[in-house]
């Protein structure tokens, strides 16, 4: 840091000297001393250009293209985040920096970056996906990857609520379901990459991490993979992870005025899709009461997007119905899935509903 500061001071001094010499030369006119000063000023300008343009290129050429770390270089990545004014990208099952030992420092740096309007993009694996279960298997089953990712997403949700309006626009987190091709920790053009393997454990301490640049080679490949995954239609926003958009097709022959477009909490268990929304359950009961002797109420619905883990072909019509927690044998698994995603329900039991494909 001191070396860089001295370098900047030297460049500023040379620039000031060159300007003064050139102005003095102009005032001296077409004289021998004036021409001498003009040449001297041009020489100083040339020195400034060399220092500003050529020296960084020389230093870059002398820097190894790839630096291999046997453990994830937390401090180097935080320094790179603190120093960038262009972009931050993170891709993995979950960010290493969200481990409890590093979370506070990481979120503080991330907060400063978002406040400075540095674009932040983070890709996290869907904890309900098959890929998350595969990560648990890869880590030898000693740690539950899904539980860890749920905890990380809850932490990000709480943290993002503390951001200002301007900072919120700079921060984006998306959830994906395919096993990622690699991990990426990018700040500016500096990238740290690593790859998933059977020997990988929770904190990645037994894998190699490659520190490089995104201007070519490995860094370019992993950054391109990030962009393709980010733009995938199967990748959802953090908001969509917490609340799924759906359209409820209420009967038109009743006097009830019930809202059709909703955003509700949801979880997947055993291939089924379950909702948690007290108002929606109340409205469903109102609809049942408005149609006497209708039997079990099953209201048509349309989903805003596909849901990972939900056994649905994407084409069959869907219907909404209440979920009987007292009698349905799936109740324990559904309750556990909701608790894992949103935290324990406590003494107030959640109101649950189910979305099911309509048999053809």
């Amino acid at each position: 840091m001191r070396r860089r500061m001295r370098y900047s001071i030297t460049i500023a001094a040379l620039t000031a000297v060159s300007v003064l010499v050139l102005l003095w030369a102009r005032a001296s006119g077409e004289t021998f001393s004036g021409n001498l000063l003009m040449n001297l000023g041009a020489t100083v300008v040339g020195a400034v250009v060399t220092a500003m343009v050529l020296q960084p290129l020389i230093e870059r050429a002398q820097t190894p293209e790839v630096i291999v770390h046997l453990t994830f270089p937390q401090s180097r990545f935080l320094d790179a985040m603190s120093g960038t004014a262009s972009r931050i990208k993170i891709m993995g099952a979950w960010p290493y920096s969200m481990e409890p030992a590093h979370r506070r420092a990481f979120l503080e740096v991330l907060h400063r970056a978002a406040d400075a309007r540095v674009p932040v993009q983070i890709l996290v694996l869907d904890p309900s996906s098959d890929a998350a279960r595969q990560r648990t298997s890869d880590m030898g089953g000693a740690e539950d990857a899904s539980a860890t990712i749920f905890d990380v997403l809850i932490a990000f949700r709480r943290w993002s609520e503390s951001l200002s309006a301007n900072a919120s626009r700079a921060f984006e987190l998306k959830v994906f379901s395919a096993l990622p091709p690699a991990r990426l920790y990018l700040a500016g053009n500096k990238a740290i990459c690593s790859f998933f393997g059977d020997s990988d454990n929770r904190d990645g301490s037994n894998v190699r991490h490659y520190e490089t640049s995104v201007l070519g080679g490995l860094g370019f490949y992993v950054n391109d993979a990030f962009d393709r995954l980010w733009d995938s239609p199967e990748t959802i926003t953090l908001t969509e992870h917490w609340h799924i958009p759906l359209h409820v097709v209420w009967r038109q022959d009743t006097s009830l005025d019930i809202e059709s477009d909703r955003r509700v909490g949801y979880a997947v268990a055993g291939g089924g899709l379950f909702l948690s929304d007290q108002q929606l359950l109340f409205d469903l009961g109102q609809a049942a009461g408005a149609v006497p002797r209708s039997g079990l109420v099953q209201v048509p619905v349309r989903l805003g997007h596909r849901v990972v883990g939900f056994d649905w072909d994407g084409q069959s019509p869907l219907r909404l119905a209440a979920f009987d927690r007292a009698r349905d044998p799936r109740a324990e698994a559904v309750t556990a899935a909701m608790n894992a995603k949103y935290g324990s329900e406590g003494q107030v039991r959640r109101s649950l509903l189910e979305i099911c494909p309509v048999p053809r």
Side-chain angles (χ1 to χ4, degrees), residues 207-280:
V207 299
R208 293 177 181 271
H209 303 273
Y210 304 94
E211 183 178 351
T212 183
S213 169
V214 295
L215 300 179
L218 174 62
F220 179 85
Y221 162 77
V222 179
N223 185 50
D224 181 66
F226 176 100
D227 290 339
R228 285 186 279 108
L229 194 56
W230 183 269
D231 294 331
S232 169
E234 300 295 326
T235 301
I236 62 175
T237 65
L238 183 59
T239 298
E240 291 171 333
H241 168 75
W242 294 115
H243 297 94
I244 188 172
L246 71 154
H247 180 81
V248 187
V249 186
W250 303 106
R251 292 176 62 97
Q252 298 298 315
D253 56 352
T254 70
S255 59
L256 297 176
D257 182 16
I258 306 178
E259 185 179 358
S260 296
D261 293 315
R262 308 292 182 101
R263 284 187 174 273
V264 299
Y266 68 99
V268 175
L273 176 59
F274 304 91
L275 310 180
S276 176
D277 189 278
Q278 184 175 1
Q279 184 62 50
L280 183 58

Side-chain angles (χ1 to χ4, degrees), residues 9-285:
I9 293 174
T10 301
I11 293 298
L14 286 172
T15 302
V17 169
S18 64
V19 170
L20 291 174
V21 170
L22 289 174
L23 290 175
W24 188 7
R26 182 175 181 181
S28 300
E30 294 294 331
T31 63
F32 173 78
S33 60
N35 291 333
L36 179 62
L37 290 171
M38 184 65 72
N39 290 331
L40 179 59
T43 300
V44 176
V45 170
V48 172
V49 171
T50 299
M52 294 181 63
V53 179
L54 297 182
Q55 187 62 29
L57 293 177
I58 293 172
E59 291 181 355
R60 182 180 298 175
Q62 294 174 343
T63 302
E65 182 179 355
V66 177
I67 301 174
V68 180
H69 301 276
L70 299 181
T71 58
F72 183 71
Q74 294 279 0
S75 60
R76 291 178 70 92
F77 181 59
L78 290 182
D79 288 344
M81 288 175 57
S82 299
T84 185
S86 59
R87 56 182 173 171
I88 295 171
K89 293 181 178 180
I90 299 175
M91 173 177 65
W94 68 88
Y96 285 144
S97 301
M98 286 297 285
E99 294 288 340
H102 310 291
R103 182 176 298 182
R104 181 176 180 179
F106 170 69
L107 290 179
E108 286 177 354
V109 175
L110 200 64
H111 203 303
R112 290 196 295 269
D115 281 340
R117 305 298 298 275
V118 175
V120 177
Q121 296 175 294
I122 299 178
L123 280 171
V124 176
L125 187 61
D126 192 316
S128 300
S129 65
D130 290 337
R133 287 185 282 274
Q134 180 62 46
R135 291 297 303 128
T136 298
S137 176
D138 291 343
M139 295 185 298
E143 302 287 347
D144 186 343
S146 295
T148 299
I149 299 170
F150 273 128
D151 175 71
V152 166
L153 290 174
I154 290 173
F156 269 126
R157 181 187 184 186
R158 292 170 178 166
W159 173 82
S160 63
E161 291 173 350
S162 69
L163 297 176
S164 66
N166 287 336
S168 295
R169 284 190 284 270
F171 173 75
E172 293 182 276
L173 188 150
K174 288 188 176 183
V175 178
F176 64 97
S177 56
L179 193 64
R183 301 180 188 84
L184 174 67
Y185 292 80
L186 172 69
N189 286 328
K190 296 180 180 179
I192 300 172
C193 312
S194 59
F195 298 89
F196 292 90
D198 293 338
S199 62
D200 189 17
N201 61 14
R202 176 183 173 119
D203 60 9
S205 60
N206 62 342
V207 299
R208 293 177 181 271
H209 303 273
Y210 304 94
E211 183 178 351
T212 183
S213 169
V214 295
L215 300 179
L218 174 62
F220 179 85
Y221 162 77
V222 179
N223 185 50
D224 181 66
F226 176 100
D227 290 339
R228 285 186 279 108
L229 194 56
W230 183 269
D231 294 331
S232 169
E234 300 295 326
T235 301
I236 62 175
T237 65
L238 183 59
T239 298
E240 291 171 333
H241 168 75
W242 294 115
H243 297 94
I244 188 172
L246 71 154
H247 180 81
V248 187
V249 186
W250 303 106
R251 292 176 62 97
Q252 298 298 315
D253 56 352
T254 70
S255 59
L256 297 176
D257 182 16
I258 306 178
E259 185 179 358
S260 296
D261 293 315
R262 308 292 182 101
R263 284 187 174 273
V264 299
Y266 68 99
V268 175
L273 176 59
F274 304 91
L275 310 180
S276 176
D277 189 278
Q278 184 175 1
Q279 184 62 50
L280 183 58
L281 183 61
F282 176 80
D283 291 342
L284 187 65

Side-chain angles (χ1 to χ4, degrees), residues 321-360:
F323 180 74
D324 190 346
R325 292 183 62 168
R327 296 181 177 86
D328 198 301
R330 302 169 297 170
E332 184 176 350
V334 174
T335 301
M338 286 288 181
N339 288 344
K341 185 171 184 178
Y342 297 102
S344 177
E345 62 184 343
Q347 296 181 350
V348 180
R349 287 160 59 89
R350 289 189 176 91
S351 301
L352 298 179
L353 305 94
E354 181 179 9
I355 292 180
C356 300
V358 177
R360 291 185 175 182

